[in-house]
Amino acid sequence: MVRTVTSFGRSGTFDWLYQRVTAVVLIVYLLFIVGFIFLTKDFGYQAWSELFAQRWMRVFSLVALLSVIIHAWIGLWSVVTDYITNRVMGGKATVLRLFVEAALAVVAVLYTVWGIEILWGV
């Protein structure tokens, strides 16, 4: 079993499980939002504002945001480690891979903080 410091889970099995769970959360969130848009009679700013004023919706949105971050991190980490390798790119691949992973981590943290500020800010 391969373990790595930059992987999200403790192993590939946990990463696989996290991706499947986050995918379910995201599809449920998507179906809820689409259903709300199409089933609300007077859909507009007022209805949208009232929906997001409720604490449960903000929590649900926060869970969806964290699911996006986790899902994207695992997917992008898999792609980066598959394609930025010493075999493909030579000796500088490790440095480039770590740089790309660090850049992706910074973007993930910024999006998370920004999303929390949007959901819970004043």
Side-chain angles (χ1 to χ4, degrees):
M1 189 174 300
V2 176
R3 295 174 191 239
T4 180
V5 118
T6 54
S7 173
F8 190 82
R10 295 180 288 176
S11 69
T13 304
F14 279 98
D15 283 348
W16 180 87
L17 184 61
Y18 290 145
Q19 260 208 313
R20 292 335 178 254
V21 170
T22 58
V24 169
V25 169
L26 293 173
I27 194 69
V28 168
Y29 188 78
L30 175 72
L31 291 174
F32 174 80
I33 292 295
V34 170
F36 179 81
I37 290 170
F38 285 111
L39 297 176
T40 302
K41 292 183 185 195
D42 291 330
F43 179 73
Y45 176 78
Q46 187 65 28
W48 195 252
S49 181
E50 288 172 5
L51 175 65
F52 278 90
Q54 299 177 46
R55 183 178 311 270
W56 69 268
M57 185 59 196
R58 286 191 272 168
V59 170
F60 189 25
S61 296
L62 180 62
V63 170
L65 171 67
L66 295 176
S67 293
V68 167
I69 298 299
I70 292 167
H71 195 91
W73 175 259
I74 293 170
L76 290 171
W77 177 84
S78 297
V79 169
V80 167
T81 56
D82 283 348
Y83 291 102
I84 304 179
T85 63
N86 289 340
R87 184 177 62 81
V88 173
M89 305 190 96
K92 296 182 182 181
T94 302
V95 172
L96 178 60
R97 185 174 57 250
L98 291 175
F99 175 77
V100 169
E101 288 175 358
L104 292 171
V106 167
V107 169
V109 168
L110 289 175
Y111 282 170
T112 303
V113 170
W114 188 25
I116 290 170
E117 184 179 327
I118 289 169
L119 288 170
W120 298 98
V122 177

